[in-house]
């Protein structure tokens, strides 16, 4: 038997929310479905197979509805803090270069990190070298020209009021990550529930970009305490293609990438300290025939599609689950 999880969906303000029976309390908005009650499938009675990534109706009283199946389509975004001695645009020392478990708040900052008027950036050569090394390890095409741009949003732990990133002109693109999902047939693997076979799969890498990290805000006794020691540290954001099809594959892909970045020395991989964080982009699509997954929009979702009457409005739209800092949370989300 495959490892199965019951999905509980509830409706609030014309939106359907999904809650899994885990202690993390991670809630994911599945779809905006104002007319969801008119669907032939009961959204409150779905089952998700974490191994195959198939969402199906557990109500077997209606054979037509029981045959309807959907496939999860998943992409990951990984933010890895570069293991270099200084920040991206200033000479301030990074936390990883201190060698201590504790550093006093706001002691690793320079004028540029605090957005002082007149302070100018100076790009770290070590950051560029580390990012290029990660791009080569992921078999990416290194661009001769890449540009920085501003991504505006306001947070107390980001004094500039914007983040410097490379959204449209990244450092590298079109790479490949080779992954292996270890199953019960491997004698050295940790035993899992159910019968799981090992398999190899590839995940495409859309782009790798350099960007700044934000500071840290801690809520305490009705106040927000801001620590800028992390503000301005160099990150690489690794964005994958939506090639992942199940929760277990997502965990295996993140684990492979974690091991690779640690092996080449680009990132220390301390997820509990925020050195490596993951965002999940999740959507679902109907399985039409022979395992073929229909796209979320286009010619396959017209009236001749046998699944059209069972799809809530906006099914297939991407939902982002942010700031996951463990492999277990990624699989659960």
């Amino acid at each position: 038997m495959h490892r199965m999880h019951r999905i509980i969906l509830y409706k609030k303000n014309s939106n359907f929310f999904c809650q899994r029976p885990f202690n993390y309390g991670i809630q994911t908005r599945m779809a905006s479905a104002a007319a969801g009650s008119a669907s032939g499938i009961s959204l409150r009675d779905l089952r998700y197979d974490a191994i195959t990534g198939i969402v199906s109706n557990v109500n077997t009283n209606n054979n037509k509805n029981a045959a309807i199946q959907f496939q999860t389509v998943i992409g990951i975004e990984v933010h890895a803090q570069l293991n270099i001695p200084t920040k991206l645009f200033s000479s301030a020392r990074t936390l990883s270069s201190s060698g201590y478990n504790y550093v006093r708040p706001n002691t690793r900052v320079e004028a540029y990190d605090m957005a002082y008027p007149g302070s100018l950036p100076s790009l770290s050569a070590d950051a560029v070298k580390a990012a290029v090394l990660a791009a080569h390890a992921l078999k990416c095409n290194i661009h001769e020209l890449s540009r920085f741009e501003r991504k505006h949003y306001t947070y107390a732990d980001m004094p500039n009021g914007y983040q410097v990133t490379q959204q449209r002109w990244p450092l590298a693109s079109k790479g490949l990550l080779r992954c292996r999902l270890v199953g019960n047939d491997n004698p050295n693997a940790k035993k899992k529930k159910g019968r799981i076979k090992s398999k190899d799969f590839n995940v495409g890498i859309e782009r790798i970009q350099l960007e700044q990290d934000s500071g840290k805000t801690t809520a305490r006794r009705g106040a927000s305490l801001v620590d800028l020691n992390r503000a301005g540290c160099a990150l690489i954001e690794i964005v994958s293609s939506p090639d992942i099809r199940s929760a277990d594959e997502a965990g295996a892909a993140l684990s492979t990438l974690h091991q690779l970045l640690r092996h080449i020395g680009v990132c220390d991989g301390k997820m509990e300290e925020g050195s490596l964080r993951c965002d999940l982009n999740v959507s679902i699509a109907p399985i039409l025939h022979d395992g073929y997954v229909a796209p979320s929009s286009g010619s396959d979702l017209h009236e001749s599609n046998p699944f059209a009457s069972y799809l809530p409005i906006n099914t297939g739209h991407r939902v982002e689950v942010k700031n996951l800092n463990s492999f277990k949370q990624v699989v659960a989300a």
Side-chain angles (χ1 to χ4, degrees):
M1 295 294 292
H2 285 335
R3 179 156 48 92
M4 311 294 287
H5 299 301
R6 180 65 60 89
I7 298 178
I8 304 171
L9 292 102
Y10 59 96
K11 190 174 183 181
K12 181 179 179 181
N13 297 332
S14 300
N15 292 324
F16 279 95
F17 291 80
C18 167
Q19 184 176 7
R20 296 274 301 280
F22 286 87
N23 296 329
Y24 309 117
I26 298 174
Q27 297 177 354
T28 306
R29 188 175 67 174
M30 296 294 288
S32 175
S37 60
S39 171
I41 291 180
S42 173
L43 294 179
R44 297 180 181 274
D45 199 14
L46 298 177
R47 176 175 292 175
Y48 178 65
D49 189 333
I51 300 173
T52 63
I54 294 178
V55 182
S56 57
N57 188 10
V58 299
N59 182 12
T60 58
N61 295 330
N62 189 327
N63 292 330
K64 183 178 180 180
N65 284 352
I68 303 300
Q69 292 184 333
F70 301 87
Q71 176 74 62
T72 51
V73 180
I74 305 170
I76 60 176
E77 298 178 10
V78 176
H79 299 82
Q81 190 174 112
L82 297 180
N83 192 16
I84 58 176
T86 60
K87 296 185 178 182
L88 183 59
F89 290 115
S90 77
S91 59
R93 306 291 291 181
T94 59
L95 296 177
S96 60
S97 66
S98 64
Y100 298 98
N101 294 329
Y102 173 76
V103 177
R104 292 181 60 188
N106 298 313
T107 57
R108 298 298 179 95
V109 292
E110 296 287 347
Y112 180 79
D113 304 322
M114 297 183 288
Y116 272 31
S119 58
L120 297 176
S122 177
L123 180 61
S124 169
D126 291 332
V128 177
K129 291 178 182 177
V132 170
L133 177 59
H136 274 297
L138 290 169
K139 306 182 187 306
C140 293
N141 295 330
I142 311 296
H143 299 162
E144 293 185 0
L145 175 65
S146 61
R147 300 178 182 177
F148 288 101
E149 58 184 336
R150 295 179 179 182
K151 183 179 179 181
H152 287 266
Y153 52 90
T154 303
Y155 283 115
D157 52 21
M158 186 168 289
N160 283 323
Y162 58 83
Q163 180 189 34
V164 177
T165 182
Q166 295 181 320
Q167 184 76 22
R168 290 178 291 179
W169 298 282
L171 180 77
S173 62
K174 297 182 180 179
L176 182 68
L177 177 66
R178 300 185 184 276
C179 308
R180 181 169 180 80
L181 178 60
V182 179
N184 291 338
D185 53 348
N186 189 325
N188 298 324
K190 181 179 178 181
K191 296 302 180 181
K192 301 179 181 179
K193 295 181 180 179
R195 183 176 298 173
I196 306 173
K197 291 185 178 180
S198 299
K199 70 171 184 177
D200 298 318
F201 63 98
N202 296 329
V203 178
I205 302 297
E206 287 193 359
R207 66 181 184 272
I208 297 179
Q209 60 195 44
L210 266 171
E211 60 185 32
Q212 284 180 311
D213 203 352
S214 61
K216 181 180 179 181
T217 302
T218 304
R220 184 178 299 174
R221 296 180 180 178
S224 295
L225 306 181
V226 178
D227 181 8
L228 297 180
N229 280 344
R230 198 177 65 183
C233 287
L235 294 178
I236 52 171
E237 180 177 358
I238 303 172
V239 182
S240 82
S241 303
D243 296 333
I244 302 172
R245 291 295 177 265
S246 69
D248 284 357
E249 283 189 12
L254 181 61
S255 177
T256 303
L257 184 58
H258 176 264
Q259 294 175 18
L260 176 63
L261 294 179
R262 289 192 62 186
H263 177 71
I264 62 178
V266 167
C267 176
D268 59 21
K270 296 179 180 178
M271 302 182 72
E272 68 280 1
E273 297 180 5
S275 296
L276 192 141
R277 307 184 294 272
C278 179
D279 300 341
L280 285 178
N281 296 311
V282 185
S283 63
I284 60 172
I287 301 175
L288 298 183
H289 53 80
D290 298 330
Y292 170 69
V293 178
S296 57
S297 62
S299 59
D300 284 312
L301 293 183
H302 53 65
E303 295 180 357
S304 63
N305 180 6
F307 294 88
S309 61
Y310 300 99
L311 294 175
I313 296 176
N314 294 331
T315 294
H317 283 197
R318 184 186 67 178
V319 175
E320 189 170 14
V321 187
K322 297 184 70 68
N323 293 329
L324 304 174
N325 61 354
S326 73
F327 304 119
K328 196 171 183 180
Q329 280 189 359
V330 169
V331 175

